[in-house]
Amino acid sequence: IRDSRGEFYLEGGAMVLSDGGVCCIDEFDKMRETDRVAIHEAMEQQTISVAKAGITTILNSRSSVLAAANPVFGSYDDSKSAAENIDFLPTILSRFDLIFIVRDIRNEAKDRKIAEHVMEVHINSEEFFENGESGETETDNELSLMTMKRFISYCRNRRAPSLSLMASKLLQSHYIKIRDLQRRRNIEIGKDEASVPITVRQLEAIVRISESLAKMSLSMYVNKDHVAEAIRLFKVST
């Protein structure tokens, strides 16, 4: 950015400001291509390199990215595949650990429940926000906002789980099994080259999910249950 004297200086963008936290991006599909390419480095190396106007530096952007985008045709088209509905290059899609397709299915019971919840929030808005901010009242199976904040902060600061030997073996066998199945399928259909269903990048994604599940359960080690749940989430999302 150019200041009042005409000199250039650096100002942190969204990815740099969210260092150590979460960067939430809405309308991801409407982002300029140049900006989307700049995110590649941030999501892979957790840094952003700047080499402009005589300034050469590397800024930290150690943040998680939560992005939302709309389908190509405005609404999800069931007659077309997921790849046709999502207009993103594999280079950016492969950098996300989990990808979920959220569809607005018309269901009277579900629609009624959503409408009732929205009305309830507006009717009891004062009471709702007071409880949310103070964190004093909690209902059955429901944590207050303050309790949830404290829990997340404790998990992040006090827990850094490491992979157990059993968990690492389970991850290795899963990775090898999927790649082997694809190789056999290619031989059966007589294809020399085909899309690879899982790469090292996806393996690292499953490791990250496993570690986060271990953090949530306040465990010091990633066990086979955490890995099994991470694999289930990965399969559901892909």
Side-chain angles (χ1 to χ4, degrees), residues 69-87 99-106:
N70 294 315
V72 181
F73 313 102
S75 61
Y76 196 84
D77 191 345
D78 291 320
S79 63
K80 290 181 168 61
S81 67
E84 288 174 298
N85 277 286
I86 305 166
D87 188 25
I99 301 163
F100 292 100
I101 294 166
V102 183
R103 292 169 62 216
D104 184 17
I105 299 164
R106 289 148 190 85

Side-chain angles (χ1 to χ4, degrees), residues 85-226:
N85 277 286
I86 305 166
D87 188 25
F88 288 123
L89 292 169
T91 50
I92 191 73
L93 281 179
S94 64
R95 280 170 168 80
F96 285 97
D97 292 352
L98 298 170
I99 301 163
F100 292 100
I101 294 166
V102 183
R103 292 169 62 216
D104 184 17
I105 299 164
R106 289 148 190 85
N107 179 291
E108 192 182 341
K110 201 183 228 180
D111 292 346
R112 193 178 295 280
K113 210 172 179 183
I114 291 166
E116 280 174 3
H117 173 72
V118 172
M119 292 303 104
E120 201 177 306
V121 168
H122 284 277
I123 292 163
N124 307 313
S125 58
E126 193 177 333
E127 187 187 337
F128 179 83
F129 285 112
E130 276 177 11
N131 293 344
E133 284 172 17
S134 64
E136 288 172 2
T137 57
E138 289 181 15
T139 57
D140 292 339
N141 301 320
E142 192 177 310
L143 292 172
S144 69
L145 186 65
M146 192 54 71
T147 308
M148 183 63 88
K149 279 183 176 180
R150 284 173 180 165
F151 177 70
I152 292 167
S153 179
Y154 184 87
C155 291
R156 291 185 68 177
N157 297 325
R158 300 290 181 91
R159 288 289 179 268
S162 55
L163 275 171
S164 66
L165 191 64
M166 195 178 286
S168 63
K169 282 181 178 176
L170 189 63
L171 277 167
Q172 284 175 38
S173 61
H174 172 73
Y175 175 72
I176 293 161
K177 185 182 170 185
I178 289 181
R179 287 181 70 93
D180 193 47
L181 278 170
Q182 185 66 32
R183 185 180 59 81
R184 287 179 187 176
R185 204 172 290 158
N186 291 348
I187 293 165
E188 282 173 16
I189 58 174
K191 257 189 177 181
D192 293 327
E193 288 181 22
S195 60
V196 181
I198 188 169
T199 63
V200 175
R201 193 175 277 168
Q202 278 75 52
L203 180 62
E204 286 179 343
I206 300 171
V207 171
R208 278 194 292 270
I209 300 161
S210 303
E211 286 174 349
S212 66
L213 289 164
K215 274 186 185 180
M216 282 167 63
S217 61
L218 301 176
S219 176
M220 291 301 289
Y221 296 96
V222 177
N223 60 40
K224 60 178 183 179
D225 294 332
H226 298 136

